[in-house]
Amino acid sequence: NLKNSYGEVNPMVPGKKMMAIFGFCDIRNFTDATEVLQEGVMVFVNEIAEIVHGTVDRFSGAANKNIGDAFLLVWKFPKDQVEERQVESADGESQNIVLELKDSKIVKQIADMSVIAFLKIISGINASPKLMKYRQNQGLNQRIPNYSVKMGFGLHVGWAIEGAIGSEYKIDASYLSPNVNMASRLEAATKQFGVPLLISGPLYKLMTPESQEEMRHIDRVTVKGSIDPMDFYTCDVDLNRVKVNNKQVDVSQLEKGQKKRFRVINRLKRNDLMKKVLQNKFKVSSLFKTDPDLKNMRSIFTQEFNEVFSQGMKHYLDGDWPAAKEVFEKTLNMIPGHKDGPSNTLLDVIEENNGRAPDSWKGYRVLTCLLYTSPSPRDS
């Protein structure tokens, strides 16, 4: 409890360690949007936030921070799904608390919900009639031809310290942890891989087998601040297949009573979904087969494509890069009208090493941002 006996918030209270899924999303080309839209950039951000926050809430997550062009979203695990154990600190003078998630259906379902939520945001952003006007904005199109609102998304899971940050002048409830930073790094890496969403290996392992089948393993790397290799996964979507949905409800145009009713109905739907999840009466993963938006965005990605790419990944991780290159050159343009970002990125990695795995290759690489500082010949 951060409040003292006078009802005032006291920031000088230790935080609490907890387990959660952390999602980070960022609006692309935000500097250009700010310079073109000027005062209108506030409306621009808030129209995006309405979709992001609303979708996350529907899938039982919570919006934590709005950071200009970025949002931090959180899915906290119920306390009864988290186990604690004491371990001796490195100096041997104290005990640290280690949190571990139970291997339960509820944990797996919450993991699935976080991924589904981000996929639904991707669909919602591209289907929004309110955001459609920015595609016709002359200033934005002069800077970025064929402009449309684009975002990057990263998802990771782990512990964090939950508490108040600030002083009596300004205070925010937030989360501090390397795991929060990792979600941000995953989002940043989406630019390198040419995908809108990256999912960490630890989160992938928590998901149900049905949802894992919908993911694609696209690399194994070490990132800044960590020496442990991490697998990167994505869930492939084709944004060109998303059509503007003019039937979307514009909450901002509703009257006060209508807004309240709209929010109450959505809250009841959210609570009902979570209740069914907690009682194992609903499989979140079933949405991959039943939700029209998800089915439409993923329809071009065939089982054959995934199987062929997986062969290339095996060669790549095993250090047989000539064989991997042959496969990735095939998957690069295997789907008509779609250029595969991960195939392109891994071909860049292979070519920068003259087609051969380094002698020191251990099945992973150090993730750098060098790969997209200059265009690949395949980008022309």
Side-chain angles (χ1 to χ4, degrees):
N1 190 346
L2 299 177
K3 291 186 178 181
N4 59 25
S5 57
Y6 297 100
E8 298 170 334
V9 175
N10 177 15
M12 303 308 169
V13 174
K16 292 182 179 180
K17 200 169 189 179
M18 46 77 75
M19 289 289 286
I21 295 167
F22 300 100
F24 200 87
C25 57
D26 177 82
I27 305 169
R28 297 279 184 260
N29 307 115
F30 189 68
T31 300
D32 292 295
T34 303
E35 292 176 352
V36 170
L37 299 175
Q38 295 287 310
E39 292 88 346
V41 76
M42 293 298 187
V43 175
F44 173 74
V45 171
N46 290 340
E47 286 173 340
I48 293 171
E50 185 177 76
I51 296 171
V52 172
H53 292 178
T55 307
V56 168
D57 181 75
R58 199 170 77 198
F59 288 94
S60 295
N64 176 249
K65 273 189 178 180
N66 306 316
I67 319 163
D69 60 342
F71 307 95
L72 174 62
L73 301 314
V74 181
W75 283 262
K76 292 171 64 174
F77 289 99
K79 290 182 179 179
D80 62 1
Q81 298 300 312
V82 182
E83 296 177 333
E84 291 186 11
R85 60 185 176 89
Q86 300 278 344
V87 297
E88 195 172 272
S89 63
D91 58 17
E93 296 181 359
S94 61
Q95 295 283 315
N96 290 332
I97 297 175
V98 174
L99 301 182
E100 294 178 342
L101 291 168
K102 293 181 179 179
D103 183 17
S104 70
K105 291 181 180 179
I106 292 174
V107 167
K108 293 179 182 298
Q109 291 257 65
I110 293 173
D112 286 1
M113 280 203 290
S114 67
V115 176
I116 293 282
F118 269 21
L119 291 172
K120 291 291 287 182
I121 292 171
I122 292 170
S123 172
I125 292 293
N126 286 273
S128 170
K130 288 177 72 172
L131 298 180
M132 187 67 184
K133 59 180 174 286
Y134 299 108
R135 297 189 189 188
Q136 278 94 43
N137 184 285
Q138 186 176 355
L140 289 171
N141 276 282
Q142 284 178 346
R143 292 191 177 220
I144 307 161
N146 300 314
Y147 177 82
S148 64
V149 177
K150 289 185 172 63
M151 299 183 72
F153 300 81
L155 278 167
H156 183 52
V157 64
W159 64 269
I161 306 301
E162 180 184 43
I165 299 175
S167 69
E168 61 183 277
Y169 298 97
K170 177 69 172 72
I171 194 164
D172 292 303
S174 194
Y175 301 88
L176 297 179
S177 168
N179 296 308
V180 178
N181 298 339
M182 182 61 72
S184 175
R185 291 193 179 108
L186 283 160
E187 181 281 316
T190 59
K191 301 172 188 175
Q192 178 173 334
F193 288 93
V195 295
L197 170 64
L198 279 178
I199 298 157
S200 71
L203 179 57
Y204 170 86
K205 290 178 181 178
L206 286 185
M207 296 165 66
T208 61
E210 294 85 355
S211 288
Q212 287 177 343
E213 289 179 5
E214 305 291 333
M215 305 299 118
R216 177 161 60 123
H217 186 198
I218 60 171
D219 210 346
R220 182 174 296 151
V221 302
T222 57
V223 301
K224 183 180 178 182
S226 175
I227 59 173
D228 297 321
M230 178 177 288
D231 289 306
F232 279 10
Y233 292 83
T234 192
C235 185
D236 293 304
V237 292
D238 179 14
L239 302 184
N240 292 322
R241 296 188 63 82
V242 181
K243 305 301 180 186
V244 174
N245 179 10
N246 290 310
K247 293 182 180 180
Q248 277 191 7
V249 177
D250 186 351
V251 180
S252 64
Q253 297 301 312
L254 297 178
E255 295 180 0
K256 186 176 181 180
Q258 292 175 316
K259 281 184 182 179
K260 184 176 181 180
R261 185 172 181 272
F262 180 82
R263 288 174 181 145
V264 168
I265 291 173
N266 280 347
R267 183 58 56 91
L268 290 172
K269 287 180 179 178
R270 185 200 75 166
N271 292 344
D272 183 58
L273 174 62
M274 193 59 184
K275 182 179 178 180
K276 289 178 179 177
V277 166
L278 293 174
Q279 295 176 348
N280 288 310
K281 293 182 177 179
F282 177 75
K283 281 190 173 182
V284 178
S285 61
S286 67
L287 292 172
F288 280 109
K289 306 299 183 186
T290 61
D291 185 271
D293 297 331
L294 300 186
K295 287 171 64 179
N296 183 39
M297 289 194 299
R298 290 186 42 71
S299 60
I300 67 169
F301 299 96
T302 63
Q303 184 176 346
E304 181 189 5
F305 169 78
N306 289 327
E307 289 174 352
V308 174
F309 185 86
S310 293
Q311 293 171 5
M313 273 299 294
K314 186 178 186 308
H315 293 316
Y316 168 73
L317 296 175
D318 288 345
D320 187 356
W321 284 15
K325 180 181 179 182
E326 185 177 340
V327 174
F328 294 144
E329 285 176 340
K330 181 178 180 180
T331 55
L332 180 66
N333 297 299
M334 186 173 176
I335 297 174
H338 175 81
K339 185 174 180 179
D340 186 51
S343 297
N344 195 52
T345 296
L346 295 178
L347 283 169
D348 279 345
V349 172
I350 292 169
E351 290 176 8
E352 287 188 357
N353 287 274
N354 299 315
R356 300 281 175 180
D359 293 337
S360 59
W361 179 250
K362 296 180 181 178
Y364 60 88
R365 66 186 178 94
V366 177
L367 184 70
T368 68
C369 50
L370 298 177
L371 291 175
Y372 57 86
T373 54
S374 57
S376 163
R378 292 179 297 280
D379 292 330
S380 58

